[in-house]
Amino acid sequence: MSFRKRNDVLSATGNTPSDARQRERVRMPNATPLYGRGSTTSSRIPQNTTSLPKIIPNKSNATASQSITRGMGDLSLNNPSKQLRHPGVKPSTVITSQQITSTGCLSLDKYLLHGGIPLGHSLLIEEGAVDSTDFNSVLTRLFSSQSIQYNKIQPKSTHLIVITPNLHYSADLPGLYKSSSKREIKKTKVVENESKLTVQNLLDQKISRQQKEQVKIPAIQEKQENQRNLKIAWRYGLTSDSNNRTNTQHSSDNGQQSTFKDPTAYCQLFDITSRMVPPPTREDITVISPIEKDADTCVQKVRDAISRHKGNLIRIVLPSFLNPVVYPPHFYSLPNITKLLYGLHMILKEHSSNAVLLASLSTILFNENSLVMNLSRQIFSSVVILEPFPQQMLDYLEKCYKAQGQPNKVQHGLFHVLKLPIFSDERSEMLIRTAELCFRNNKKGLDIEEWSIPIDEGETEQKISKPVDISDVDGSTHQHKIKQTLEF
Amino acid sequence: MVQKQDLVIFNDRTVLPDFKNHGHTLTHITHKLGTSPTWLLTALIETHIHGVPLSLNESEKSNGKIPIVNKSPIYISSFIHNESYSEQHFQNKISPQSGYYILPNLMEEIMKCTINTHNNGNNFDGLCSYILKMLKVKKEEQEQQTTIILEEPQLLLALIPNLKARDILLKLITPISQIFQRVIVVTNIELYDNDATAESIEIKKFIQTIFYRSIVQLSLKPLETGRANDVTGTLRITRGGCASAVDNTTFVVENEYLYHVQKKSIKLFYR
């Protein structure tokens, strides 16, 4: 039995398990391109079987080894150098080696468990047909606006690809939320003024810098005294100091990362009643119509758009998919739909380190158990359903919350979770949550929370005011009036 | 102490059918939304290589060093997941000393073919012969007994227009069954009996035929009562339509397990 020091590096000698694995499995040398397809096929065989007959003899071993590195390199987990430095990308809260990006809706991010959509994965939002509601479009528009906003924080970092027949989609995107409270308005005005390049601002900055330097000297003296008198406090002070130092070093090393220190940049608040000003440009967004030609052409256009923006975070959005208002009847053939969805799925897997997909599917024309629905649920890595409440339920909720003095708390529907990225498919975990969550639409977008039916206080008051007869064993009757302070 | 039970499918306490007794066999795994079969596939791959499903019931830890009992390769061919998915998932679970091939995503190949040639998948015969040619060459390399996992082949029926279930069965599944001793077909049962469209009917026919040809049926389902913290779903083992065709000495033990998938282990319990 041998032991290895923790810091010893074995990779130089090629003794790591991964090296052994690579030695065992190499790409199949006789794999053929399919019907003249240019790219290499990528099968794996043990190295000891390299003496096998080849289907295509001119495929060299060098190409095979190159294709191994390609296959492994695509995995974001295995190649940290490929990880994006981006304001909208951060490690998952559950699997820290997996990078995620925001959906643009804070509460949706929360209920996806990772804190966003993992890169290389997709999210499908289904909406049931009740009174022609369109809550899913709020989420797709938030997702789109967030992409544009990333580009404003760090130019040329993100590209949004929208697949929709509505070519004016970019004109409808919501702008940033501006608080109506006086204090917030004052704060934003001060920040805006300070950010302007004026002589007054430059003078102010210089004065503040000088003041800071003057303040530093007595602070150091005070610290020395503390060091002498309170050793424990000094230790804490030192650790916080060293932490600060490492943080500043880290930010200066990353260079780009220092520009997006603000944690709110990851997921910003938008006002769905406003419009984005200035509107997004061609650099920010590409709109592709899926109905112009067949699905293959659409997928190819998406590929072209991605190749034009290499190195960027690619956020693909497929809003109101199969909504009869925008999609013509000839689009509804199953092979066509499968080709488009599967083509996008393939693109995601090819660009697993920098692409995500969000789609919303209108279920107006389909049964809950139709083949199209089940097929899309299988292809997407995460699936959620928005089930708007019928009008009767909304009336009831309004009545209840009005009685409680909270008319803004009325929920608009149930939020079901069917699949979650990585957990459902790869880890085989059962995470279906039906009728456990609900959503509320407001100015800032959708709020998702735990669902509980509110108490109709009007009804309870009526019941409470009625005297309750309780007969004793001996037959005598007492009348009790239950106090209104009863806890439910 | 919580009781745990080992996965047993045949009466001789084996998990995979024995080649000597059964000849060419087909195992059918069905799953539903919320009960992904990835853990079961890993267990079957481990059984093929090591003789026992190591990842189940924490048997890996108790066994210490794990011997490789079968050096014949196992092929993993998916119509839904790409290679990197399979590679990423099975890399940590399967011993690198054992031979296993991850075939390219066949659906992807078909998609690329239809995109490049715009033949709309009409040349299905050509595609099948390409796949079989690839598999046959690989089979000839190793004169040992081999196993193949085919994941979601019914998706072809949704992708290629006017494709019939019997086309896939005759031109793909039957020849593959003749090449490989063990064929494991995984299908999503949510796609079974959806609506009255032509594609839905063909998928239904395909799944039914696979059931009739299989010797054992492994069904993964979530609990009917909903989500539970300590149970992920149920694994039901039933005889397939072809179970009577095998010899009398070995037969499928019909059983139902509850299973619980955790971060690092999978536990099975008798129901």
Side-chain angles (χ1 to χ4, degrees):
Chain A
M1 192 173 171
S2 64
F3 293 96
R4 179 174 67 85
K5 280 184 185 173
R6 188 175 279 181
N7 295 330
D8 280 359
V9 180
L10 293 177
S11 57
T13 52
N15 290 333
T16 57
S18 62
D19 285 341
R21 237 172 270 141
Q22 283 204 358
R23 277 200 303 277
E24 285 296 317
R25 295 181 293 108
V26 293
R27 201 159 282 272
M28 192 179 85
N30 51 6
T32 54
L34 185 60
Y35 299 103
R37 186 171 54 79
S39 63
T40 55
T41 41
S42 42
S43 310
R44 280 141 179 72
I45 54 163
Q47 207 168 31
N48 54 11
T49 58
T50 44
S51 59
L52 298 166
K54 291 178 180 180
I55 295 174
I56 288 188
N58 56 1
K59 178 148 174 134
S60 65
N61 283 334
T63 323
S65 61
Q66 277 165 12
S67 52
I68 285 178
T69 49
R70 178 189 62 77
M72 296 303 290
D74 282 346
L75 303 172
S76 58
L77 298 174
N78 296 337
N79 194 353
S81 64
K82 267 203 166 185
Q83 292 186 350
L84 287 176
R85 299 248 175 263
H86 192 281
V89 174
K90 68 176 189 180
S92 159
T93 48
V94 190
I95 307 161
T96 48
S97 55
Q98 176 68 51
Q99 288 194 305
I100 56 164
T101 187
S102 175
T103 57
C105 176
L106 202 62
S107 52
L108 180 59
D109 283 350
K110 184 184 155 193
Y111 285 103
L112 287 177
L113 293 187
H114 295 273
I117 310 176
L119 297 184
H121 287 78
S122 51
L123 169 65
L124 175 68
I125 300 160
E126 291 176 11
E127 184 168 349
V130 176
D131 298 335
S132 309
T133 51
D134 194 20
F135 292 111
N136 63 74
S137 75
V138 174
L139 291 173
T140 51
R141 284 164 64 210
L142 288 176
F143 180 82
S144 309
S145 286
Q146 186 63 73
S147 310
I148 309 298
Q149 210 55 42
Y150 288 148
N151 246 6
K152 286 182 181 170
I153 296 165
Q154 191 184 330
K156 293 184 180 178
S157 63
T158 316
H159 192 73
L160 175 71
I161 299 170
V162 188
I163 304 164
T164 176
N166 174 17
L167 297 174
H168 304 289
Y169 180 83
S170 58
D172 278 346
L173 297 182
L176 279 175
Y177 176 77
K178 283 172 187 167
S179 174
S180 55
S181 74
K182 282 182 182 176
R183 189 183 276 183
E184 288 290 323
I185 292 168
K186 257 188 182 179
K187 261 188 184 178
T188 48
K189 274 188 179 175
V190 168
V191 172
E192 273 178 23
N193 283 331
E194 280 179 354
S195 63
K196 283 177 187 170
L197 194 70
T198 58
V199 179
Q200 186 61 42
N201 279 345
L202 288 172
L203 277 173
D204 287 347
Q205 279 176 10
K206 205 177 177 183
I207 291 163
S208 64
R209 224 179 292 143
Q210 283 172 354
Q211 281 175 347
K212 272 180 192 172
E213 278 169 10
Q214 284 171 358
V215 171
K216 263 184 190 174
I217 299 160
I220 292 163
Q221 286 171 353
E222 202 177 305
K223 209 175 186 182
Q224 281 172 349
E225 276 176 29
N226 283 343
Q227 280 173 3
R228 258 179 265 128
N229 299 331
L230 298 161
K231 281 189 176 178
I232 299 165
W234 170 78
R235 278 188 69 179
Y236 281 109
L238 187 71
T239 46
S240 64
D241 195 36
S242 63
N243 279 344
N244 287 338
R245 218 178 300 139
T246 48
N247 283 343
T248 49
Q249 272 177 358
H250 183 66
S251 58
S252 61
D253 287 345
N254 290 334
Q256 283 177 318
Q257 216 161 26
S258 58
T259 55
F260 41 80
K261 271 181 200 167
D262 185 11
T264 55
Y266 175 74
C267 184
Q268 286 164 313
L269 278 181
F270 294 93
D271 180 358
I272 57 167
T273 58
S274 70
R275 291 289 168 267
M276 188 176 273
V277 180
T281 60
R282 277 187 177 182
E283 276 298 310
D284 303 322
I285 188 168
T286 303
V287 181
I288 296 166
S289 172
I291 56 171
E292 275 179 9
K293 281 189 177 177
D294 56 344
D296 296 336
T297 320
C298 176
V299 171
Q300 195 52 47
K301 278 184 181 175
V302 175
R303 280 179 199 281
D304 294 342
I306 293 173
S307 61
R308 281 199 301 274
H309 299 89
K310 273 183 183 169
N312 288 8
L313 173 67
I314 304 292
R315 290 165 63 101
I316 307 167
V317 62
L318 184 60
S320 305
F321 186 53
L322 301 180
N323 191 328
V325 177
V326 281
Y327 283 86
H330 69 81
F331 192 84
Y332 289 82
S333 80
L334 187 69
N336 200 36
I337 295 167
T338 317
K339 265 184 197 173
L340 181 63
L341 294 182
Y342 205 87
L344 294 174
H345 173 75
M346 273 167 55
I347 288 173
L348 278 187
K349 296 302 159 194
E350 281 166 28
H351 302 272
S352 59
S353 58
N354 68 329
V356 287
L357 166 67
L358 184 135
S360 65
L361 180 66
S362 175
T363 58
I364 294 169
L365 293 183
F366 306 102
N367 295 329
E368 201 191 328
N369 285 324
S370 68
L371 188 58
V372 174
M373 302 286 289
N374 284 318
L375 199 71
S376 3
R377 284 173 189 172
Q378 192 171 9
I379 292 171
F380 279 81
S381 54
S382 47
V383 182
V384 296
I385 301 177
L386 302 176
E387 187 192 328
F389 287 135
Q391 194 55 47
Q392 279 181 331
M393 183 68 177
L394 284 174
D395 293 342
Y396 171 78
L397 290 173
E398 266 175 30
K399 194 177 124 192
C400 292
Y401 283 115
K402 252 187 190 175
Q404 288 176 15
Q406 297 170 316
N408 294 334
K409 273 195 95 178
V410 176
Q411 296 97 339
H412 293 102
L414 290 174
F415 182 87
H416 309 296
V417 179
L418 294 190
K419 259 174 110 176
L420 288 176
I422 299 174
F423 293 107
S424 296
D425 273 343
E426 293 168 36
R427 290 198 177 175
S428 310
E429 288 181 29
M430 156 70 186
L431 292 163
I432 297 175
R433 296 180 79 180
T434 49
E436 288 182 27
L437 303 168
C438 64
F439 67 88
R440 185 190 306 115
N441 190 26
N442 57 31
K443 205 177 171 185
K444 295 179 199 171
L446 287 192
D447 272 345
I448 301 161
E449 58 186 26
E450 298 283 333
W451 165 238
S452 60
I453 302 169
I455 302 154
D456 186 356
E457 288 192 346
E459 268 183 29
T460 49
E461 273 170 21
Q462 281 173 6
K463 277 181 190 172
I464 287 160
S465 59
K466 275 184 187 174
V468 181
D469 291 342
I470 298 168
S471 301
D472 281 348
V473 182
D474 59 338
S476 62
T477 309
H478 303 282
Q479 284 197 335
H480 299 275
K481 197 168 185 180
I482 299 164
K483 284 181 185 175
Q484 284 193 9
T485 51
L486 266 177
E487 287 181 4
F488 291 94
Chain B
M1 188 170 164
V2 185
Q3 194 190 10
K4 288 180 289 184
Q5 283 89 17
D6 291 334
L7 177 65
V8 173
I9 295 177
F10 294 94
N11 66 329
D12 55 355
R13 299 197 64 78
T14 54
V15 176
L16 284 172
D18 189 9
F19 298 130
K20 288 167 196 167
N21 293 336
H22 299 147
H24 293 258
T25 58
L26 197 145
T27 304
H28 189 201
I29 299 174
T30 58
H31 64 98
K32 294 189 92 172
L33 191 75
T35 50
S36 164
T38 317
W39 69 271
L40 185 59
L41 289 180
T42 311
L44 293 180
I45 292 167
E46 285 168 345
T47 310
H48 172 87
I49 296 164
H50 301 289
V52 281
L54 294 169
S55 56
L56 302 183
N57 291 344
E58 296 171 343
S59 48
E60 192 173 0
K61 285 175 191 169
S62 58
N63 280 358
K65 202 178 177 183
I66 311 146
I68 294 168
V69 295
N70 189 356
K71 287 198 173 177
S72 67
I74 181 161
Y75 295 79
I76 303 152
S77 176
S78 178
F79 287 83
I80 184 81
H81 297 123
N82 65 344
E83 286 167 89
S84 60
Y85 171 87
S86 311
E87 204 169 67
Q88 192 178 337
H89 187 77
F90 297 119
Q91 206 172 30
N92 298 329
K93 309 239 169 170
I94 300 167
S95 167
Q97 285 82 33
S98 59
Y100 72 95
Y101 303 151
I102 297 168
L103 297 175
N105 183 330
L106 300 177
M107 190 90 155
E108 255 177 50
E109 299 293 322
I110 291 161
M111 282 283 292
K112 282 173 187 170
C113 171
T114 54
I115 290 166
N116 289 346
T117 57
H118 292 282
N119 69 1
N120 230 2
N122 292 332
N123 194 4
F124 180 70
D125 296 356
L127 289 165
C128 290
S129 61
Y130 160 76
I131 294 166
L132 292 172
K133 201 175 175 185
M134 190 172 71
L135 294 175
K136 266 181 188 169
V137 170
K138 281 171 158 276
K139 168 70 176 61
E140 282 161 10
E141 334 170 323
Q142 305 273 337
E143 290 183 355
Q144 294 165 305
Q145 312 285 11
T146 48
T147 304
I148 188 166
I149 295 170
L150 287 173
E151 224 184 337
E152 315 292 348
Q154 79 280 5
L155 288 181
L156 284 172
L157 293 162
L159 182 76
I160 300 173
N162 304 320
L163 185 69
K164 303 286 176 202
R166 68 165 183 275
D167 292 336
I168 303 184
L169 290 162
L170 289 174
K171 291 168 189 170
L172 198 69
I173 304 294
T174 308
I176 285 176
S177 308
Q178 285 164 357
I179 297 168
F180 292 92
Q181 269 72 23
R182 285 183 197 138
V183 181
I184 299 165
V185 180
V186 183
T187 54
N188 182 356
I189 207 72
E190 301 274 2
L191 303 181
Y192 182 82
D193 202 11
N194 290 131
D195 37 36
T197 57
E199 291 92 355
S200 185
I201 291 166
E202 290 303 321
I203 290 175
K204 189 178 173 181
K205 275 184 194 171
F206 176 80
I207 296 175
Q208 274 176 352
T209 316
I210 292 292
F211 170 73
Y212 284 120
R213 286 189 185 183
S214 64
I215 63 160
V216 59
Q217 176 87 16
L218 308 174
S219 315
L220 295 171
K221 278 183 190 173
L223 286 177
E224 282 163 12
T225 48
R227 195 164 58 93
N229 286 334
D230 52 355
V231 177
T232 307
T234 60
L235 164 65
R236 186 175 289 169
I237 301 166
T238 45
R239 293 177 193 191
C242 209
S244 57
V246 295
D247 67 322
N248 294 327
T249 53
T250 323
F251 54 87
V252 176
V253 180
E254 295 197 338
N255 205 346
E256 191 167 345
Y257 294 89
L258 292 172
Y259 72 93
H260 185 214
V261 179
Q262 288 164 307
K263 196 178 176 185
K264 287 183 178 173
S265 66
I266 297 122
K267 286 174 185 168
L268 281 179
F269 310 94
Y270 288 133
R271 195 170 199 191

